[in-house]
């Protein structure tokens, strides 16, 4: 274990990691200040979230990455979903939408299809910003634990990117049940998790637990925050977490990317 890893472990055990992460945020804000100013000046019509909201949800403070990579991710998700169902007149929701890095692009990508778009997040400040910025999307607040403020069998498609990755195993299970509740029968749920491609930074004991139990959670920080991290192996996902569901596609992460699972509600 290197010096940096030992320091992170110590800070986590002392419940000081969130304070250290705030220092990282300050450093990142200074590092990207000039490039972010340039991006804002070059694209004055693009609404950009406050830096602290962007960092908490995205882990980066690059507005270029927020906007350009967000559109690429949105296009990728649409392509994945359209392999399995038509999105004409579909009700689509992103749970854990953050500052709409991905969701903001859906109305343009699916223009003319008559789809409806919804976003939900537990960060009130984030949702307030989204509501004031994107009138063509319906936003709502949720809490760290269910429920979502929607009736059962409401959505045709629901997706979440790097949300289960910041929850305890108990809350992962509760949220899986809740996400399925608000999906219509035959609806699709796309989710991402830290899988085999993301475990290079785990310690020996954590890797052993990951291989034997299939799920590792790094806690000692506020659950839901970016420093609270969960890892779910493909075997665990297939044989335990999603075992009673119709798995329509699995995309294994490469080079540090998260695994993507798409399941269909029966």
């Amino acid at each position: 274990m290197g010096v940096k890893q030992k320091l992170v472990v110590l800070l986590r055990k002392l419940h000081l990691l969130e304070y250290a992460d705030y220092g990282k945020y300050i450093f990142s804000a200074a590092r990207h200040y000039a490039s972010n100013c340039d991006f804002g000046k070059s694209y004055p019509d693009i609404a950009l979230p406050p830096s602290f909201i962007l960092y908490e949800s995205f882990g980066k403070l690059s507005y270029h990455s927020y906007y350009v990579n967000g559109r690429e991710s949105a296009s990728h998700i649409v392509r994945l979903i359209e392999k399995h169902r038509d999105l004409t007149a579909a009700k689509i929701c992103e749970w854990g939408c953050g500052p709409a890095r991905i969701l903001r692009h859906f109305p343009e990508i699916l223009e003319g299809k008559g789809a409806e778009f919804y976003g939900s997040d537990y960060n009130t400040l984030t949702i307030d910003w989204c509501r004031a910025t994107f009138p063509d999307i319906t936003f709502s607040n949720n809490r760290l634990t269910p429920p979502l403020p929607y009736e059962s069998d409401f959505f045709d498609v629901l997706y979440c990117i790097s949300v289960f990755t910041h929850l305890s195993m108990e809350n992962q299970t509760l949220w899986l049940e809740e996400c399925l509740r608000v999906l219509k029968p035959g609806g699709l749920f796309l989710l991402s998790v830290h899988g085999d491609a993301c475990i290079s930074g785990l310690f020996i004991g954590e890797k052993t637990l990951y291989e034997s139990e299939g799920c590792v959670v790094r806690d000692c920080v506020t659950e839901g925050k970016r420093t609270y991290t969960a890892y779910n192996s493909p075997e665990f996902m297939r044989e335990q977490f999603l075992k009673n569901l119709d798995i329509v596609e699995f995309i294994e992460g490469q080079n540090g990317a998260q695994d993507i699972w798409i399941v269909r509600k029966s």
Side-chain angles (χ1 to χ4, degrees):
M1 186 187 303
V3 174
K4 182 178 178 180
Q5 288 180 314
K6 289 180 179 179
L7 178 60
V8 171
V9 170
L10 178 61
L11 290 172
R12 188 180 292 276
K13 289 182 177 180
L14 294 175
H15 300 273
L16 296 174
L17 190 58
E18 289 181 61
Y19 297 98
D21 192 56
Y22 180 74
K24 186 178 178 182
Y25 156 71
I26 297 297
F27 174 80
S28 185
R31 177 187 175 193
H32 290 285
Y33 179 78
S35 61
N36 283 342
C37 286
D38 289 342
F39 185 84
K41 291 177 181 177
S42 299
Y43 303 95
D45 295 330
I46 296 178
L48 299 170
S51 60
F52 64 92
I53 289 177
L54 176 58
Y55 181 77
E56 175 58 31
S57 65
F58 188 38
K60 298 179 182 179
L61 265 181
S62 166
Y63 284 135
H64 179 273
S65 293
Y66 162 79
Y67 189 80
V68 175
N69 293 355
R71 181 174 177 79
E72 291 174 354
S73 295
S75 297
H76 180 56
I77 290 170
V78 168
R79 288 195 299 270
L80 289 176
I81 294 172
E82 287 189 321
K83 290 166 58 177
H84 305 287
R85 66 156 299 142
D86 181 16
L87 292 179
T88 301
K91 290 184 177 180
I92 303 169
C93 178
E94 179 177 4
W95 165 56
C97 64
R101 182 179 71 91
I102 295 172
L103 184 59
R104 66 181 296 164
H105 300 285
F106 269 61
E108 181 181 355
I109 293 172
L110 293 175
E111 186 177 8
K113 286 187 173 287
E116 298 177 18
F117 308 101
Y118 299 78
S120 186
D121 198 275
Y122 86 136
N123 189 316
T124 302
L125 293 176
T126 296
I127 290 300
D128 287 345
W129 181 80
C130 286
R131 283 173 172 159
T133 307
F134 306 111
D136 51 353
I137 302 173
T138 302
F139 291 96
S140 62
N141 267 122
N142 58 262
R143 297 183 178 181
L144 183 63
T145 55
L148 289 169
Y150 305 109
E151 62 188 54
S152 298
D153 304 334
F154 188 75
F155 295 115
D156 298 285
V157 174
L158 190 146
Y159 71 92
C160 63
I161 302 300
S162 198
V163 178
F164 285 99
T165 52
H166 302 293
L167 295 175
S168 64
M169 196 62 251
E170 178 183 4
N171 274 331
Q172 287 188 49
T173 300
L174 291 175
W175 275 112
L176 176 63
E177 295 173 354
E178 176 64 7
C179 289
L180 293 173
R181 179 189 70 80
V182 299
L183 267 180
K184 296 177 182 179
L188 293 180
F189 181 32
L190 182 151
L191 62 148
S192 74
V193 298
H194 290 135
D196 290 350
C198 302
I199 64 171
S200 60
L202 293 181
F203 310 133
I204 295 177
E206 291 174 327
K207 287 184 178 180
T208 300
L209 185 62
Y210 177 86
E211 293 169 356
S212 61
E213 301 294 332
C215 182
V216 173
V217 175
R218 287 179 162 178
D219 49 16
C220 295
V221 293
T222 303
E223 185 172 355
K225 293 286 188 177
R226 59 183 304 275
T227 48
Y228 189 107
T229 315
Y231 301 80
N232 296 1
S233 73
E235 292 76 19
F236 171 81
M237 293 293 289
R238 192 180 298 276
E239 298 172 10
Q240 296 186 53
F241 195 63
L242 303 174
K243 67 177 181 180
N244 295 320
L245 297 173
D246 176 18
I247 299 173
V248 298
E249 187 169 1
F250 166 58
I251 301 99
E252 184 176 11
Q254 303 292 328
N255 301 317
Q258 295 181 23
D259 292 345
I260 294 176
W261 296 84
I262 304 176
V263 300
R264 192 190 312 275
K265 179 179 176 179
S266 59

